[in-house]
Amino acid sequence: MYEINRKKSMILFGVLILAVVGLSLVAYHVSGHMGIEERFNSAVGIYAGPEEEGSSGIFGFNIEGNPLYYAVILASLIILCLIIYIKK
Amino acid sequence: MAHIHLEDGAFSLQWVSIWWILALILVCLCIYWMRKMKNNNNKVLTIAGMCTAASFAIFQVNIPLFGGVHMNLTPLIGILGGPVVGGIIVFIVNILSAAIGHGGWGLIGANTLVNITEVSIAYFTYRGLAKAKLSSFSRAGIATLTGLMFGNITMIVIILVSGIQGVTQSRMDILYGLSLLAGVNMGVAAIEAVLTGYVISYIQKVRPDMLLEAESLV
């Protein structure tokens, strides 16, 4: 069994993260502040109308798509997982 | 995390069909492989179910960073489930997402291919780094960054090959725009890398057997 070099691991990962975040900030400043759909449409050259103002959600976090369907599907998945887990 | 966030009609019917057929072939191969291995015990099924629920739950949440971004935990799915189970999971998550109105039905095939790339690259990078004497946190983090970078590349290639209907921009302009978009996406990949690293290092401590399950399926 080999010994894990934690210091080397953290330095390597930290440098990678800093490089990625740096590049990402540059890309963000060049492309400007916009929503995900607006960013995609702008990237491929689709000129859509202004984005519909959705709910501001909780601290800016909101659900894509229909929230009711989201809740129903998520609840079904959780119940399914519980059934499989209990049967195990 | 890379996801073609365009509406139905952006790709021509020909390309929608091609990406759908390719995705279905890969998903069928995953199902065939699982059946062939005869290793689809309840533990794998439980991991798959939990990964599907977690990925679906987080993928629909619009995170208020850089104007709005998504995470979908595909590298975590790859590391925990492997590319075979992961391929099936991302296909299901894409279908469920389209069902609630997040993403077009026609783009499920293309998005499944993007996500299968993320799942597979993350899995093989994580396994490949096993002998590099790195901690599981760093291995999972690096695997996540690599997987998501290749996912973004696949997304760009699919869009460039398909072309967008009704736009006048040249492919070079689209490539430039998508490169910036991929750059912004990678900022979220950094957050996802840290999150995946923590989850994997925690699982490594409390349930290392869960990480071995994926190995038996490849």
Side-chain angles (χ1 to χ4, degrees), chain A residues 1 3 6 12 21 33-34 38 40 48 51 54:
Chain A
M1 196 64 188
E3 195 183 327
R6 292 193 185 279
L12 182 64
V21 169
H33 183 84
M34 52 183 101
E38 200 183 346
F40 232 106
E51 268 185 55

Side-chain angles (χ1 to χ4, degrees), chain B residues 79-160:
Chain B
I79 295 168
L80 287 179
V84 174
V85 176
I88 300 167
I89 293 173
V90 295
F91 183 60
I92 294 169
V93 170
N94 273 304
I95 288 175
L96 294 177
S97 300
I100 71 160
H102 181 194
W105 285 96
L107 291 166
I108 290 175
N111 279 323
T112 302
L113 293 175
V114 170
N115 295 148
I116 286 178
T117 307
E118 293 172 339
V119 164
S120 307
I121 297 284
Y123 172 82
F124 289 113
T125 308
Y126 182 78
R127 299 289 154 193
L129 288 171
K131 287 180 183 170
K133 295 181 181 177
L134 297 175
S135 63
S136 51
F137 174 84
S138 299
R139 277 171 63 202
I142 294 168
T144 302
L145 287 176
T146 316
L148 294 179
M149 189 183 74
F150 276 90
N152 275 298
I153 292 170
T154 309
M155 175 192 78
I156 292 172
V157 169
I158 285 177
I159 294 174
L160 285 178

Side-chain angles (χ1 to χ4, degrees), chain B residues 18-190:
Chain B
I18 288 171
W19 302 130
W20 254 102
I21 290 166
L22 281 176
L24 283 175
I25 289 171
L26 281 179
V27 171
C28 287
L29 281 174
C30 291
I31 294 169
Y32 171 75
W33 192 266
M34 269 192 79
R35 290 172 69 94
K36 195 180 165 198
M37 295 301 286
K38 293 192 173 152
N39 202 4
N40 45 347
N41 55 35
N42 269 345
K43 196 185 263 183
V44 173
L45 209 57
T46 311
I47 293 171
M50 285 176 179
C51 283
T52 308
S55 177
F56 173 78
I58 204 155
F59 183 41
Q60 318 311 325
V61 178
N62 197 8
I63 300 164
L65 187 73
F66 300 135
V69 287
H70 297 144
M71 290 200 284
N72 62 6
L73 305 178
T74 40
L76 182 66
I77 293 170
I79 295 168
L80 287 179
V84 174
V85 176
I88 300 167
I89 293 173
V90 295
F91 183 60
I92 294 169
V93 170
N94 273 304
I95 288 175
L96 294 177
S97 300
I100 71 160
H102 181 194
W105 285 96
L107 291 166
I108 290 175
N111 279 323
T112 302
L113 293 175
V114 170
N115 295 148
I116 286 178
T117 307
E118 293 172 339
V119 164
S120 307
I121 297 284
Y123 172 82
F124 289 113
T125 308
Y126 182 78
R127 299 289 154 193
L129 288 171
K131 287 180 183 170
K133 295 181 181 177
L134 297 175
S135 63
S136 51
F137 174 84
S138 299
R139 277 171 63 202
I142 294 168
T144 302
L145 287 176
T146 316
L148 294 179
M149 189 183 74
F150 276 90
N152 275 298
I153 292 170
T154 309
M155 175 192 78
I156 292 172
V157 169
I158 285 177
I159 294 174
L160 285 178
V161 168
S162 311
I164 304 292
Q165 294 197 113
V167 299
T168 52
Q169 279 197 24
S170 68
R171 286 200 197 271
M172 281 310 289
D173 289 335
I174 294 178
L175 175 62
Y176 174 72
L178 289 175
S179 302
L180 287 178
L181 181 115
V184 173
N185 274 351
M186 285 309 288
V188 193

